[in-house]
């Protein structure tokens, strides 16, 4: 029997986890949208964030400091991908895959060769936990607010503008004296720092870090971005939203994605099919603008022939 | 001002596609000279400008600007003294960014880019004034995305960006070739005005003989990676389209000769 009550009960938890995936999506947004690079490091750096956070907390570090250390570790991973790409000329996608692969071993080492590590909210003061869902949603929302504000500020600065220019037109950027290699490395580091932050929050929320917790993270991030943008770029809203608003919608995209997951789980669909399901949704959303463009072109061609 | 000494550039060396694009090319430009560059397709005109701008390292020779050897300086470091406008209107601006953001990026060319605001109120006024001078009505569209502007408008903005921080050298590579004749004429007039007002040393590539004669105070013709004609001063003023076409024909004739040798 499917009980609607059960679904309602699971929604707050879905929102909390959705917020965390939304934070991760903000990291992915920096590379995918602003820098125009598809960075696959994130599957690894998300787990790195979780591993570093849990290991530090269980060894007595206060949770906020542990999360800061996780951010630093994520940035290091991004730096690594950035250097592989810019210094050694390895294509960006491949650089990300290499770092991700390396991180699997590194994450295992961080966790003392265990594939998962628990951190109990009963023994350690955590920033958020699935045991207390409402406070978790509030903490998550607070992190989102701070992060979105920081990104709004940073990408409006001279340095942030140079980073956006690098993604928008590398040729022009070089001609305007921007060191685009440095900008790419910086962007990849920042992005993976944010992703690791999300990983650190997720590990605390679920009460453990797992070597596989980041698998498919890049696709979830893309899903959040695409779902969020399908709303924020709609004709109705796009005129009223600035960069701040757009970033908020990316996070909401993460929440929307995770609520769909909650429904799927409630329907007792096999949760092993979740990744397949996610991949299909993301592929569909990525294909829609392309197909729509082709349809429009086709119509124009037909119209042109009629007019001639 | 600018000194090219025996600059050589070979593409795809050691392969069947090997191509000597610049052959011991030497050129010396004085302060404030406005040089038009002509020559057939593949003569090496763009390659010469790219060598100066630092798109890739050259294979021989040296490039000196104002006594400073820049031969091994990367492109983004040379940008502080070089302004560029490309043939493709898409190349010179960032389409996803606002018009004023593009100008602000150019305004900081050669400057350290820190954590201050990307565009300040005070500079907005400067941009508005400069855009008004273009006479294209762009001063009212400063927050529009650059990608929404037409090719001609973009080239005019790119020109403005190239000169916002006075460069030592302005490089124009067929920057009106993608525009309709009327817009091309407008953009050329704007170029001329910007060069004169800022007294810029300029290299301008064009395929239009009349423009090559009309603009600038020196003209060079390139062929097979070398300069084969260099006219300035009174001679340039007296130059006619006929003279240039005859020079072209002479080069083309030699080309046919070599072709027939190769074919026989
Ligand atoms: N990036 C490159 N890789 C390989 N070969 C190149 C490259 N750029 C230019 N070349 C070759 O170098 C030669 C000179 O090219 P260049 O673009 O300088 O000619 P151009 O005088 O600008 O001609 P056009 O009038 O057609 O623009 C050509 O034979 C061209 O094929
Ligand atoms: Mg050319």
């Amino acid at each position: 029997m499917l009980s609607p009550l059960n679904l309602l009960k699971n929604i707050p938890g879905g929102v909390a986890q959705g917020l965390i995936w939304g934070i991760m999506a903000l990291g992915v947004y920096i590379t995918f949208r602003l820098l125009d690079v598809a960075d696959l490091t994130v599957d690894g750096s998300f787990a790195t964030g979780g591993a570093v956070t849990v290991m530090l907390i269980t060894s007595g570090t206060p949770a906020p400091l542990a999360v800061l250390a996780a951010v630093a570790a994520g940035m290091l991973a991004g730096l690594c991908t950035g250097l592989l790409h810019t210094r050694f000329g390895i294509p960006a996608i491949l650089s990300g895959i290499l770092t991700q692969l390396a991180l699997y071993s590194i994450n295992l080492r961080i966790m003392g060769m265990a594939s998962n590590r628990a951190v109990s909210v009963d023994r350690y003061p955590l920033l958020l936990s699935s045991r207390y869902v409402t406070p978790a949603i509030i903490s998550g929302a607070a992190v989102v607010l701070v992060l979105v504000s920081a990104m709004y500020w940073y990408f409006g600065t001279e340095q942030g503008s140079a980073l956006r220019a690098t993604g928008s037109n590398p040729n022009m950027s070089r001609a305007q004296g921007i060191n685009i290699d440095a900008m790419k490395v910086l962007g990849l580091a920042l992005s993976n720092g944010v992703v690791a932050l999300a990983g650190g929050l997720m590990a605390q929320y679920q009460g453990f870090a797992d070597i596989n917790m980041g698998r498919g993270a890049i696709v979830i991030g893309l899903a959040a971005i695409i779902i969020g943008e399908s709303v924020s770029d709609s004709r109705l809203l796009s005129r009223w939203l600035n960069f701040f608003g757009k970033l908020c919608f990316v996070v909401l995209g993460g929440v929307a994605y995770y609520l769909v997951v909650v429904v799927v789980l409630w329907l007792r669909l096999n949760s092993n099919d979740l990744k397949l399901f996610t991949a299909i949704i993301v592929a569909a959303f990525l294909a829609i603008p392309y197909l729509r463009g082709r349809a429009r072109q086709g119509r124009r061609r037909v119209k042109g022939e009629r007019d001639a | 001002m600018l000194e090219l000494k025996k600059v050589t550039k070979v593409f795809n060396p050691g392969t069947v596609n090997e191509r000597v694009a610049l052959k011991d090319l030497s050129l010396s430009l004085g302060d404030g000279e406005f040089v038009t560059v002509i020559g057939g397709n593949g003569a090496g005109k763009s390659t010469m400008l790219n060598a100066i701008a630092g798109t890739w390292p050259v294979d021989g020779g040296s490039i000196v600007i104002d006594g400073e050897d820049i031969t091994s300086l990367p492109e983004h470091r040379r940008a502080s003294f070089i302004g560029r406008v490309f043939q493709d209107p898409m190349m010179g601006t960032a389409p996803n960014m606002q018009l004023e953001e593009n100008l602000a990026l150019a305004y900081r060319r050669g400057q350290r880019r820190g954590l201050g605001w990307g565009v300040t109120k005070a500079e907005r006024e400067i941009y508005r004034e400069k855009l008004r001078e273009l006479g294209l009505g762009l001063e009212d569209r400063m927050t529009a995305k650059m990608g929404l502007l037409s090719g001609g408008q973009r080239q005019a903005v790119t020109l403005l960006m190239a000169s916002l921080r006075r460069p030592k050298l302005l490089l124009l590579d067929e920057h009106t070739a993608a525009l309709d004749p009327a817009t091309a004429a407008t953009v050329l007039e704007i170029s001329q005005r910007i060069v004169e007002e800022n007294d810029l040393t300029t290299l301008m590539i064009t395929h239009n003989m009349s423009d090559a004669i009309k603009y600038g105070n020196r003209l060079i013709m390139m062929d097979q990676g070398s300069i084969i004609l260099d006219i300035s001063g009174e001679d340039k003023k007296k130059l006619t389209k006929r003279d240039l076409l005859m020079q072209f024909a002479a080069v083309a004739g030699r080309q046919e000769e070599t072709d027939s040798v190769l074919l026989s």
Side-chain angles (χ1 to χ4, degrees):
Chain A
M1 252 313 282
L2 293 176
S3 130
L5 206 67
N6 250 337
L7 177 64
L8 277 181
K9 242 176 38 202
N10 285 330
I11 283 181
V15 171
Q17 292 202 54
L19 281 173
I20 299 174
W21 286 119
I23 292 169
M24 199 224 37
L26 288 176
V28 174
Y29 189 88
I30 295 175
T31 46
F32 185 65
R33 275 291 181 248
L34 299 182
L35 212 52
D36 199 19
V37 167
D39 173 32
L40 298 182
T41 315
V42 295
D43 285 24
S45 56
F46 187 76
T48 304
V52 168
T53 304
V54 168
M55 294 313 283
L56 283 178
I57 291 178
T58 51
S59 67
T61 313
L65 279 184
V67 170
L68 280 185
V71 170
M75 291 181 75
L76 220 54
L79 183 80
C80 194
T81 302
L83 292 180
L84 283 175
H85 176 46
T86 58
R87 279 290 148 89
F88 302 108
I90 302 170
I93 295 222
L94 195 50
S95 303
I97 293 176
L98 289 172
T99 310
Q100 185 201 113
L101 186 69
L103 282 177
Y104 189 87
S105 304
I106 292 172
N107 292 343
L108 275 176
R109 280 196 179 273
I110 293 175
M111 295 197 288
M113 291 309 182
S115 63
N116 57 60
R117 285 279 178 177
V119 58
S120 160
V121 67
D122 298 325
R123 292 186 51 197
Y124 307 97
L126 302 183
L127 293 176
L128 72 183
S129 161
S130 58
R131 189 88 62 77
Y132 313 106
V133 172
T134 312
I137 293 177
I138 294 171
S139 314
V143 174
V144 166
L145 197 69
V146 171
L147 189 59
V148 169
S149 305
M151 283 173 70
Y152 179 71
W153 164 76
Y154 178 72
F155 289 108
T157 65
E158 297 175 334
Q159 197 178 82
S161 301
L163 202 151
R164 283 187 296 137
T166 300
S168 183
N169 186 345
N171 256 312
M172 167 266 198
S173 302
R174 260 187 269 115
Q176 297 305 338
I178 294 168
N179 183 348
I180 66 166
D181 284 352
M183 287 300 130
K184 285 183 186 169
V185 174
L186 181 63
L188 283 162
L190 291 175
S191 164
N192 282 286
V194 174
V195 170
L197 165 71
L201 295 178
M202 185 60 87
Q204 293 178 66
Y205 181 82
Q206 63 190 16
F208 62 90
D210 185 286
I211 188 70
N212 287 319
M213 67 189 278
R215 184 168 286 176
I218 178 72
V219 184
I220 297 176
L222 294 182
I225 291 172
I226 293 161
I227 295 171
E229 283 184 340
S230 68
V231 181
S232 66
D233 288 355
S234 66
R235 213 168 296 167
L236 200 67
L237 278 177
S238 62
R239 200 139 39 104
W240 305 105
L241 287 177
N242 59 8
F243 187 58
F244 190 95
K246 288 190 72 161
L247 291 179
C248 288
F249 268 93
V250 169
V251 177
L252 291 179
V255 175
Y257 165 79
Y258 208 76
L259 288 180
V260 173
V261 171
V262 168
V263 172
V264 169
L265 293 176
W266 172 68
L267 289 171
R268 307 246 177 88
L269 298 181
N270 190 338
S271 64
N272 287 331
D273 293 337
L274 207 62
K275 303 250 174 213
L276 172 65
F277 183 71
T278 306
I280 291 173
I281 292 189
V282 173
F285 270 101
L286 284 173
I288 285 169
Y290 173 75
L291 293 177
R292 214 187 266 152
R294 278 188 42 154
R296 209 174 298 134
Q297 252 179 8
R299 231 173 298 139
R300 203 173 303 138
R301 206 173 304 131
V302 171
K303 185 170 173 292
E305 277 159 15
R306 234 193 354 251
D307 291 350
Chain B
M1 163 68 237
L2 173 73
E3 198 81 43
L4 300 185
K5 283 183 210 133
K6 294 189 172 256
V7 172
T8 299
K9 178 69 195 176
V10 185
F11 287 110
N12 309 312
T15 71
V16 281
N17 293 321
E18 180 170 298
R19 175 87 208 185
V20 182
L22 294 180
K23 214 182 304 169
D24 286 335
L25 182 119
S26 295
L27 174 69
S28 173
L29 291 195
D31 257 329
E33 265 190 323
F34 183 170
V35 184
T36 54
V37 184
I38 57 174
N41 293 121
K45 307 181 295 296
S46 299
T47 306
M48 175 172 76
L49 260 53
N50 287 336
I52 297 170
T55 309
W56 18 246
V58 294
D59 300 306
S62 69
I63 304 166
V64 177
I65 286 189
D66 268 353
E68 187 183 348
D69 190 325
I70 61 166
T71 319
S72 54
L73 222 52
E75 183 176 4
H76 67 92
R77 296 271 304 279
R78 297 187 199 189
S80 51
F81 27 84
I82 295 176
R84 294 191 81 180
V85 185
F86 309 91
Q87 174 174 356
D88 181 357
M90 305 289 180
M91 285 261 278
T93 49
N96 306 336
M97 297 175 76
Q98 296 170 348
L99 171 49
E100 61 176 29
E101 287 181 317
N102 272 277
L103 293 171
L105 284 166
Y107 194 57
R108 286 162 180 74
R109 195 173 60 226
Q111 245 68 355
R112 224 185 74 83
R113 292 170 207 264
L115 296 177
W117 280 119
V119 194
T120 65
K121 221 180 209 158
E123 42 182 296
R124 269 196 193 101
E125 287 317 307
I126 303 176
Y127 303 155
R128 198 180 309 281
E129 201 39 54
K130 297 261 184 195
L131 286 169
R132 209 189 316 275
E133 285 169 19
L134 292 183
L136 301 172
L138 291 173
E139 63 273 17
D140 301 322
R141 300 183 62 189
M142 283 177 40
T143 55
K145 288 271 155 67
M146 201 64 213
L148 298 174
L149 304 191
S150 75
Q153 290 170 331
R154 284 190 215 186
Q155 289 303 69
V157 172
T158 310
L159 263 168
L160 188 53
M161 286 167 64
S163 61
L164 216 44
R165 281 257 161 234
R166 185 177 180 278
K168 290 184 176 172
L169 186 64
L170 180 63
L171 304 177
L172 309 172
D173 188 351
E174 296 186 55
H175 68 305
T176 60
L179 310 176
D180 71 64
T183 313
T186 310
V187 171
L188 269 177
E189 286 308 321
I190 295 172
S191 315
Q192 163 94 332
R193 209 192 62 230
I194 287 180
V195 168
E196 274 177 2
E197 274 172 10
N198 300 288
D199 194 21
L200 299 177
T201 311
T202 304
L203 277 166
M204 177 173 96
I205 300 177
T206 177
H207 276 295
N208 185 314
M209 298 293 154
S210 320
D211 290 342
I213 295 169
K214 179 174 166 198
Y215 294 98
N217 42 32
R218 182 171 166 190
L219 178 147
I220 60 180
M221 184 188 278
M222 289 185 67
D223 183 52
Q224 301 201 331
S226 306
I227 293 170
I228 55 164
L229 190 67
D230 187 343
I231 303 170
S232 54
E234 285 306 309
D235 291 342
K236 162 105 191 327
K237 284 186 189 137
K238 282 189 299 212
L239 203 62
T240 66
K241 224 166 139 176
R242 223 182 101 82
D243 300 335
L244 284 183
L245 285 174
M246 271 167 51
Q247 283 288 343
F248 251 108
V251 173
R254 192 219 54 226
Q255 190 71 49
E256 270 161 31
E257 223 167 77
T258 48
D259 283 353
S260 58
V261 169
L262 280 172
L263 287 172
S264 62

